Amino acid sequence: MMNHDAIRNVIGIIGNVVSFCLFASPLPTFLTIVKKAAVEDFSPNPYLAALINCLMWVFYGLPFVHPHSILVVTINGIGGIMELGYIVIYIIYANRKQRWYVIKVLVIEVVFTCLVVGLTLGLCHTYKTRSLVAGIIALIFNICMYGMPLDIVRLVIRTRSVEYMPFYLSLANFLNGCIWVAFALLRFDLFIMVSNGTGAILGAVQLAVYATYSKNPERDNKRRGWPEVQLQTTNTRAGI
């Protein structure tokens, strides 16, 4: 029989796969953006939120911050690269105002990440304190990432249409949250459990809203052909 750590590793690998799917969910949208050579009304905020979320979880999972978290580092490292790719595409096809907004936010995120890493490593000299500081910050950004689609939920309720409701993203958020909660429980990790538990709940809410309004016959008539996926956001925690 597999031991405790082996089971946790298996769940973590499954979580990595689901988180990768979460990060990859915007691909159809960006392929269409490239084809149309315009970002139109799609917001860059979910991708910006996912990027800073990945950066914080990569830092949290490093061996000198929170040992035994290599699976957290791998998936968020991959997710961060993917989110950066989405943002670059967005910048290329955005108008001047949109482009400068994204660039300014990116600069802020880079400066913030450097400050977090520098201050945490400089002022916190034990695994416990480093994990605490990095974990709290990562938890906050993870919940923000999971909560990004709530803006779309409000739009769905107001318009009674799921035109901009990313069903597969919501489903991936829900499954991703559940799997990482199981991962956190096997070697108890409060930060991973709370952030992804919140993500699972928010994903369930999004799925419930989608189920309620998906049979509206007026939806998507004027934008047929556009994919429904618009992230999120992505891993993850994205994923994580």
Side-chain angles (χ1 to χ4, degrees):
M1 295 179 65
M2 291 192 298
N3 60 33
H4 184 276
D5 287 338
I7 295 173
R8 186 174 187 266
N9 287 335
V10 170
I11 293 177
I13 292 171
I14 296 172
N16 271 232
V17 173
V18 175
S19 294
F20 179 81
C21 294
L22 178 65
F23 287 128
S25 62
L27 281 174
T29 292
F30 279 90
L31 289 174
T32 305
I33 286 175
V34 172
K35 182 178 179 180
K36 289 180 174 288
V39 299
E40 294 198 340
D41 294 328
F42 286 93
S43 170
N45 292 330
Y47 316 102
L48 293 166
L51 177 61
I52 187 67
N53 175 70
C54 288
L55 292 174
M56 293 298 101
W57 281 111
V58 166
F59 179 57
Y60 174 79
L62 293 175
F64 49 83
V65 177
H66 192 77
H68 311 295
S69 301
I70 188 63
L71 292 173
V72 174
V73 175
T74 54
I75 188 56
N76 284 283
I78 294 171
I81 294 172
M82 295 175 70
E83 297 301 332
L84 184 60
Y86 299 145
I87 292 170
V88 169
I89 294 173
Y90 191 96
I91 289 174
I92 292 172
Y93 293 103
N95 60 39
R96 181 181 177 86
K97 182 178 180 181
Q98 293 168 323
R99 184 177 298 119
W100 279 110
Y101 168 77
V102 172
I103 291 174
K104 286 189 291 185
V105 175
L106 276 177
V107 171
I108 292 172
E109 290 187 350
V110 170
V111 172
F112 179 80
T113 300
C114 292
L115 286 174
V116 169
V117 173
L119 292 175
T120 302
L121 296 181
L123 300 177
C124 304
H125 304 295
T126 65
Y127 290 133
K128 182 177 181 180
T129 53
R130 288 176 181 173
S131 294
L132 178 63
V133 173
I136 290 174
I137 296 173
L139 184 153
I140 292 171
F141 281 103
N142 201 51
I143 292 176
C144 290
M145 187 194 75
Y146 275 127
M148 275 292 171
L150 292 180
D151 284 339
I152 301 174
V153 169
R154 287 194 290 269
L155 178 63
V156 170
I157 294 174
R158 187 174 70 249
T159 63
R160 304 184 67 82
S161 169
V162 295
E163 177 181 356
Y164 289 101
M165 186 70 176
F167 172 77
Y168 291 109
L169 173 61
S170 299
L171 179 62
N173 268 335
F174 174 71
L175 295 176
N176 186 69
C178 291
I179 289 171
W180 284 106
V181 166
F183 177 85
L185 289 174
L186 287 171
R187 185 192 290 270
F188 187 73
D189 189 313
L190 179 64
F191 300 115
I192 294 177
M193 184 184 71
V194 171
S195 60
N196 287 281
T198 303
I201 294 172
L202 292 176
V205 170
Q206 294 161 34
L207 290 174
V209 171
Y210 188 94
T212 301
Y213 294 100
S214 62
K215 295 182 179 180
N216 187 338
E218 298 179 359
R219 83 180 190 94
D220 294 340
N221 287 336
K222 66 179 179 179
R223 292 180 61 91
R224 187 170 300 152
W226 273 79
E228 290 186 357
V229 178
Q230 179 190 6
L231 181 59
Q232 122 177 277
T233 261
T234 267
N235 264 321
T236 97
R237 194 177 145 136
I240 281 177

